[in-house]
Amino acid sequence: MSATAAARTERLTVRYGRTIAVDAVSVDVPKGSVFALLGRNGAGKSSLLRCLLGWQKATDGRCELLGDDPWKRRARLMERVGVVPEEPDAPREMTPRQLGAFCARLYPSWDAKGYDARLARFGVPPSTAFGRLSKGQKGLTQLSLALASSPDLLLLDDPTLGLDPVARHAFFDEIVAELADRGTTVFLTTHDLAGVERIADRVGILKDGRLLLHEETEALKSRFRAVRYRSEVTEGRTDFGTELDELEPVRVKVRGWGIEAVASAFSDERFERFAAKDGIVDAEAAPLSLEELFLAVAGEGKDLAR
Amino acid sequence: MKRFAAVALREIAERRFVLVAAAAAAVLPFLVPLLPSVPGSDAATARAVTALVLACTFGAGGAVLVGASVVGRELAEKRLSFHFARPLPAAVVWGGKLGGGLALVLLAELVVYLPASIASGRFPGLVDRFDAPAMAALLLLAVPLFLIAWVASVAVRSRSPWLVVDFVLLAASAAAVFLLGRRLLRYGHVPGPSAALAVVGVLLAALLAGTLAQVAAGRTDARRGHGAQSLALWSVLLAGLAVGASWVSRTVDPGVARLQGAMAEPAGRGGDWAVVAGSTPGAGSGTSAYLLDLAGGRSVLLRPGWMTTVSTDGSRAAHVAAGGVRGAKVELEAIDLRTGDAVVLPLSEWPDGIDLTPDGRRLAVVAGGLCQVLDLPSFRLLASARVPAERWAFAPAFLGSDVVRLLPKHLRSGENAARSPGPVPDPDSWEMRVASRRMVKLARLQVSALPARPPDPKEPGREPRYAFLPGPDRSRVVLFGLGSTTGARLLDATTGAVLASVDAAAAPGPRGFFLSDGRVVLSEPDPDGLTLHLLSPDGARLASIRMPAPTHGLRFGSEPGRDLLQVGLARDEARTTWGWYLVDLATGTVTPIEGVPPQRSWWSGALSYPAPGSPVTRLSNDADGRLVLRDPATGEARPLTRGGPPGK
């Protein structure tokens, strides 16, 4: 067990019949970090999260949450974990105020004032039945519930799915504030790459149940670059098609103006050596957004874990 | 407890519309008497019946509605995760949902029920036939319904392969329960309240275990939850079914050695077989009966019935059993004693008598005034003829494989002065010739010659009744009077001639009994006691033996040896206490014996006279109530059954 890991999986595998949803995934989320697990629909993100929450038993492998087995110690662990599910799951007939009252009886450190303040800040009517709230209001209510228990760990399963930009912004702002105030560990799965880019300090990319990549965001962004260049035929040149090998491209596209690639092993030295090669003209490298990086990686599916 | 209450209250709050609907429904019983078609005198009844129907409807409907939604719907809508994202142990989630759901349903029932009950002045009951315990049982039916709805909704909504397992096991369990129940009823064991409670208990335990496993092991995973539910549910149910099957097996067929309060009766002329019937502890009020081979130790389980006879060679038995569920039909069983196989022939009514040929190949049965001879084991009809004496019951007896002698036994059931006024007609003795299928009249047996007893002020209107006891070879019968007639006659069955007679007005009236060698014992009661007269087969008096007083009743047992006869004498007028004696007919000595030997019943439709000293003549119940078999050489008693009173 890792004393510094808030969440950890070790060769975690989830099968549904013959379908492998999560395939021997090992992840470490250090305490105080924000880990974003990215992946397309059906990549296995929610299955992995459900195992971490102790809602579902893994087929194989193991997982830990705050140093404990979530399947065996779920009830106790949930005192320290805030959860925002993919689909709002609060009882539809209960109002946000009633939900707060209900949860207040279950958590030892329930922050009722903070809960009410957040609802007010989000503009969620406290006396309207949960089922009648807008999707954004539901998401924000669930986030308020998750944060009001003063959790050590927040587990968010695609929490901004279907939210409008304002609600999404408010959602992430609240998480940022929580991070600033309490240093809560966050484990989230999301498709909202722009939103998560500003808060995630670690990123994992899951594809078809396999973890393709898992590292710190900055390190990731520093080793991934968009590389553009023109390739000319010169006498004696023999490395056509392999000139990018040292940069370990995950995607190469031939455009009318030249070649565009995404390098996964970028460094200044390597790029200089590449740019100085015979026949390489107008080579330039540009940083990638998390979304571009995700598209390149999730589209190719190579195992890029470092 | 705080968390449990939080979950339970949330369930109630979520479905508070059920209570609102119940409150609205509670008004309806008070409006029904206002309908023009309801007379004012019936207002209270109309109100109570309406409330009863509504309370039951709310109980059943609410249980199904709430039970199906309490977990199944949340699981299908992926909202059960709300509870599992909280610090709530699975048992608390389960218990809270169960407690809240059930409390809501029962509360709704009470909301409907109580106002009408109180207003009708019948609190805590409601309608006359539905007093408080009956109403409570009716209202509590909502509990199993609630759990069944919970289990079914999870199973259906999960759409997992376990659904197939559920259906297969449900069908198999239903079939097993049906077969077990049918076996119980076929063998005359009606399950008592404790058995019914045990079944309900197992069902509730299985449903509770299933729902708990579904929540605890499945959590938010519907398929896994369904699997856990099915495993737990069927484990408990199948274990219960196995225990139930074992109980049914032990109840129906406990084995001769486990019987309590057992009674025995000779079966057939051979002397080796006896019918032994008794009860077993924990088996309710039913009894189990066996055909027991006292020489070989084999036993064959019998269905509840009457008249059992075994062929002289011991190859086959015939038994009249109560067939169908609750004995609604009558069936004739022919049992192959070598293999235990039985073939069954349905009968239209209880037969008056049956008999087997010595080789067990033919069966004669008299039922509904018809005598039939059947081939065994095919039950092929060889001959059938009506016995021309509708008011009398007849017992058949093979004189050879082709001749059946039919001697009257008694007036048929229901034949009395009210139905057939006038004097009782004298019956005839008959013979049926199987080959020619003819019925031949032998003689008229005059019952009208028996004297009438002086009118007894204690028993006014007592009718004349008669009984015939056939001899071992059916050549003679003993006729004796019952009811308002008295006296006994030894008659020649082929001529109707009176060979001997005893007339005595003192109670219990003269009786008679045949010895296996054809000699006859006639009793002659007098105000001071009773004398037994030993007669030769042709009616000549051989000896007279005075029996010790008091003698308020007389019973005959077996012949444990040559010239030895067991005789029982009632010691009180109520005939509750009997003393048994061994009468040495050669010397005239009378010796008290311990225990109670099997008594011989003149009304048996398959009366037989086993040879003196044969195993059945050595049976008796000892002082502890055990059926014992005495060794003729040592006199030692070997217990065949348990002692004690009939088990419950």
Side-chain angles (χ1 to χ4, degrees):
Chain A
M1 189 187 85
S2 170
T4 56
R8 181 167 179 262
T9 68
E10 191 178 303
R11 298 195 60 76
L12 187 80
T13 302
V14 178
R15 288 196 195 93
Y16 301 113
R18 293 179 182 172
T19 307
I20 301 176
V22 179
D23 189 2
V25 169
S26 299
V27 168
D28 261 303
V29 180
K31 283 180 180 169
S33 67
V34 177
F35 175 70
L37 184 62
L38 312 178
R40 299 182 64 186
N41 291 338
K45 305 186 296 292
S46 295
S47 294
L48 188 145
L49 208 59
R50 281 200 293 271
C51 290
L52 273 175
L53 281 166
W55 294 357
Q56 183 172 339
K57 196 167 174 61
T59 313
D60 203 1
R62 50 188 296 218
C63 56
E64 288 175 1
L65 202 63
L66 300 170
D68 233 332
D69 183 342
W71 180 256
K72 293 178 181 168
R73 310 269 180 228
R74 182 196 54 80
R76 186 172 291 176
L77 283 171
M78 287 304 117
E79 288 182 356
R80 300 167 60 196
V81 176
V83 182
V84 177
E86 183 177 359
E87 288 293 326
D89 60 1
R92 285 179 295 216
E93 80 295 346
M94 291 177 83
T95 64
R97 182 173 290 136
Q98 288 169 336
L99 286 169
F102 173 74
C103 289
R105 303 173 75 175
L106 309 180
Y107 291 94
S109 54
W110 184 256
D111 178 12
K113 284 183 182 173
Y115 175 71
D116 291 341
R118 280 192 190 91
L119 288 181
R121 199 156 58 240
F122 293 148
V124 176
S127 301
T128 301
F130 185 77
R132 293 189 191 157
L133 297 176
S134 70
K135 182 129 189 182
Q137 287 172 327
K138 285 177 183 171
L140 293 168
T141 303
Q142 297 250 208
L143 179 65
S144 304
L145 286 170
L147 294 176
S149 62
S150 312
D152 295 333
L153 172 64
L154 263 180
L155 286 169
L156 315 172
D157 188 7
D158 217 347
T160 56
L161 184 70
L163 301 194
D164 61 53
V166 177
R168 269 209 311 266
H169 202 265
F171 193 98
F172 283 118
D173 277 353
E174 198 62 31
I175 292 175
V176 170
E178 175 73 10
L179 290 169
D181 291 347
R182 300 187 60 247
T184 304
T185 309
V186 179
F187 185 125
L188 81 162
T189 71
T190 185
H191 292 111
D192 185 0
L193 301 177
V196 83
E197 187 164 7
R198 60 190 177 112
I199 60 169
D201 48 29
R202 292 182 73 82
V203 169
I205 294 180
L206 207 56
K207 184 179 182 188
D208 297 333
R210 291 175 55 240
L211 189 67
L212 301 180
L213 185 152
H214 170 219
E215 61 190 284
E216 289 183 359
T217 313
E218 287 311 314
L220 194 67
K221 290 174 81 172
S222 68
R223 73 179 176 94
F224 276 84
R225 282 287 192 282
V227 177
R228 298 182 183 85
Y229 63 97
R230 282 191 293 114
S231 179
E232 291 182 351
V233 179
T234 60
E235 195 174 331
R237 184 176 171 195
T238 58
D239 65 347
F240 287 109
T242 60
E243 69 271 18
L244 276 166
D245 281 1
E246 194 181 12
L247 293 172
E248 297 179 20
V250 294
R251 191 176 69 185
V252 179
K253 284 188 177 174
V254 179
R255 307 283 190 189
W257 48 263
I259 295 167
E260 183 183 69
V262 173
S264 68
F266 179 87
S267 70
D268 291 340
E269 297 78 26
R270 286 176 182 166
F271 182 73
E272 279 170 17
R273 280 198 295 275
F274 164 74
K277 282 184 178 174
D278 190 20
I280 302 299
V281 181
D282 298 337
E284 58 181 53
L288 290 167
S289 69
L290 197 54
E291 185 166 355
E292 289 168 324
L293 195 153
F294 173 73
L295 287 173
V297 172
E300 296 303 320
K302 291 181 183 173
D303 190 347
L304 305 166
R306 288 286 165 99
Chain B
M1 196 62 198
K2 196 170 89 174
R3 294 175 178 186
F4 165 81
V7 176
L9 289 173
R10 199 201 71 74
E11 291 300 324
I12 295 172
E14 182 176 348
R15 295 168 180 83
R16 55 189 175 274
F17 69 92
V18 175
L19 293 177
V20 176
V27 178
L28 292 178
F30 294 93
L31 300 180
V32 168
L34 303 179
L35 291 174
S37 56
V38 179
S41 57
D42 292 339
T45 304
R47 190 169 54 221
V49 169
T50 310
L52 177 66
V53 171
L54 281 173
C56 292
T57 305
F58 260 85
V64 171
L65 192 74
V66 179
S69 67
V70 74
V71 163
R73 196 180 70 189
E74 290 194 1
L75 205 54
E77 294 175 353
K78 297 184 176 176
R79 290 193 296 111
L80 199 59
S81 54
F82 177 76
H83 291 89
F84 285 101
R86 315 290 150 213
L88 291 168
V92 170
V93 175
W94 170 79
K97 286 184 165 288
L98 178 74
L102 278 179
L104 181 79
V105 172
L106 297 176
L107 211 57
E109 286 182 329
L110 290 179
V111 166
V112 177
Y113 166 73
L114 284 180
S117 174
I118 293 167
S120 61
R122 286 165 176 162
F123 179 82
L126 189 60
V127 188
D128 291 341
R129 295 184 66 185
F130 284 93
D131 54 3
M135 277 304 297
L138 206 59
L139 297 180
L140 284 174
L141 275 178
V143 177
L145 271 179
F146 174 89
L147 289 166
I148 289 168
W150 178 332
V151 163
S153 81
V154 168
V156 171
R157 289 170 192 266
S158 76
R159 297 178 190 170
S160 77
W162 280 95
L163 205 53
V164 179
V165 176
D166 286 343
F167 273 119
V168 169
L169 288 178
L170 182 65
S173 300
V177 168
F178 171 77
L179 291 175
L180 290 175
R182 193 179 69 163
R183 182 167 162 77
L184 268 182
L185 295 176
R186 274 171 66 85
Y187 282 89
H189 295 271
V190 180
S194 56
L197 278 177
V199 170
V200 172
V202 169
L203 181 66
L204 283 178
L207 290 167
L208 289 172
T211 51
L212 174 60
Q214 180 260 315
V215 173
R219 303 190 185 175
T220 63
D221 186 338
R223 288 185 162 218
R224 185 185 166 85
H226 183 195
Q229 171 183 287
S230 294
L231 269 178
L233 179 81
W234 292 115
S235 296
V236 176
L237 276 182
L238 293 179
L241 208 52
V243 172
S246 164
W247 179 80
V248 168
S249 176
R250 283 192 302 115
T251 297
V252 169
D253 187 4
V256 174
R258 291 190 67 236
L259 293 179
Q260 274 187 306
M263 306 291 283
E265 187 181 356
R269 299 171 189 132
D272 287 342
W273 291 86
V275 175
V276 178
S279 55
T280 44
S285 56
T287 59
S288 297
Y290 290 88
L291 199 51
L292 177 65
D293 179 2
L294 295 163
R298 286 179 302 156
S299 63
V300 177
L301 181 66
L302 294 175
R303 287 162 58 199
W306 182 248
M307 291 186 218
T308 308
T309 187
V310 174
S311 62
T312 308
D313 68 355
S315 63
R316 186 165 279 124
H319 173 64
V320 181
V325 175
R326 310 290 300 272
K329 293 187 291 184
V330 183
E331 290 175 345
L332 187 58
E333 283 186 335
I335 305 165
D336 187 325
L337 293 174
R338 296 189 182 98
T339 63
D341 295 339
V343 285
V344 176
L345 178 73
L347 296 177
S348 56
E349 60 182 274
W350 280 97
D352 298 327
I354 58 172
D355 194 35
L356 281 169
T357 51
D359 62 0
R361 302 291 295 272
R362 289 185 175 184
L363 172 69
V365 54
V366 177
L370 206 63
C371 176
Q372 294 177 307
V373 176
L374 305 155
D375 178 63
L376 293 180
S378 66
F379 272 132
R380 186 166 58 90
L381 183 64
L382 299 174
S384 174
R386 183 157 295 283
V387 187
E390 290 183 356
R391 295 188 63 184
W392 288 87
F394 281 78
F398 279 102
L399 298 188
S401 60
D402 279 328
V403 180
V404 179
R405 182 159 292 175
L406 294 149
L407 299 178
K409 286 170 62 187
H410 49 78
L411 283 169
R412 297 190 69 190
S413 175
E415 285 294 336
N416 52 36
R419 179 173 163 178
S420 306
V424 175
D426 294 327
D428 299 318
S429 59
W430 296 85
E431 264 182 17
M432 184 184 190
R433 308 285 157 79
V434 177
S436 60
R437 301 181 182 184
R438 277 196 315 120
M439 194 68 86
V440 178
K441 180 179 170 183
L442 297 178
R444 175 141 296 182
L445 307 175
Q446 292 193 335
V447 299
S448 49
L450 281 183
R453 193 195 298 266
D456 186 345
K458 291 179 188 171
E459 295 173 294
R462 204 169 180 201
E463 295 176 357
R465 285 163 54 217
Y466 309 92
F468 286 94
L469 182 80
D473 60 0
R474 267 57 174 179
S475 63
R476 289 153 303 123
V477 289
V478 169
L479 161 68
F480 53 92
L482 301 165
S484 64
T485 52
T486 180
R489 302 282 183 272
L490 174 64
L491 304 174
D492 187 316
T494 57
T495 63
V498 178
L499 303 175
S501 62
V502 171
D503 289 322
R511 297 285 183 269
F513 194 72
F514 282 96
L515 302 180
S516 59
D517 61 3
R519 288 180 293 170
V520 185
V521 174
L522 289 183
S523 70
E524 184 176 15
D526 57 58
D528 299 324
L530 185 145
T531 302
L532 295 182
H533 300 296
L534 177 65
L535 310 177
S536 68
D538 58 4
R541 188 168 295 190
L542 302 174
S544 292
I545 302 163
R546 188 70 181 164
M547 297 302 291
T551 54
H552 297 285
L554 174 67
R555 286 175 178 169
F556 292 102
S558 300
E559 298 172 72
R562 170 79 185 159
D563 288 328
L564 296 175
L565 180 64
Q566 294 158 335
V567 176
L569 298 172
R571 293 313 190 189
D572 54 4
E573 283 194 40
R575 300 186 184 192
T576 53
T577 309
W578 290 76
W580 281 87
Y581 299 89
L582 186 64
V583 180
D584 189 329
L585 299 168
T587 64
T589 55
V590 179
T591 316
I593 53 176
E594 287 182 0
V596 180
Q599 60 171 306
R600 313 301 306 284
S601 309
W602 62 265
W603 60 82
S604 169
L607 188 67
S608 60
Y609 296 91
S614 60
V616 289
T617 65
R618 291 185 271 117
L619 281 175
S620 66
N621 287 91
D622 67 9
D624 293 331
R626 294 179 301 182
L627 190 66
V628 296
L629 180 64
R630 292 195 183 278
D631 187 307
T634 63
E636 196 175 313
R638 177 167 63 89
L640 301 175
T641 65
R642 287 183 178 179
K648 294 289 181 189

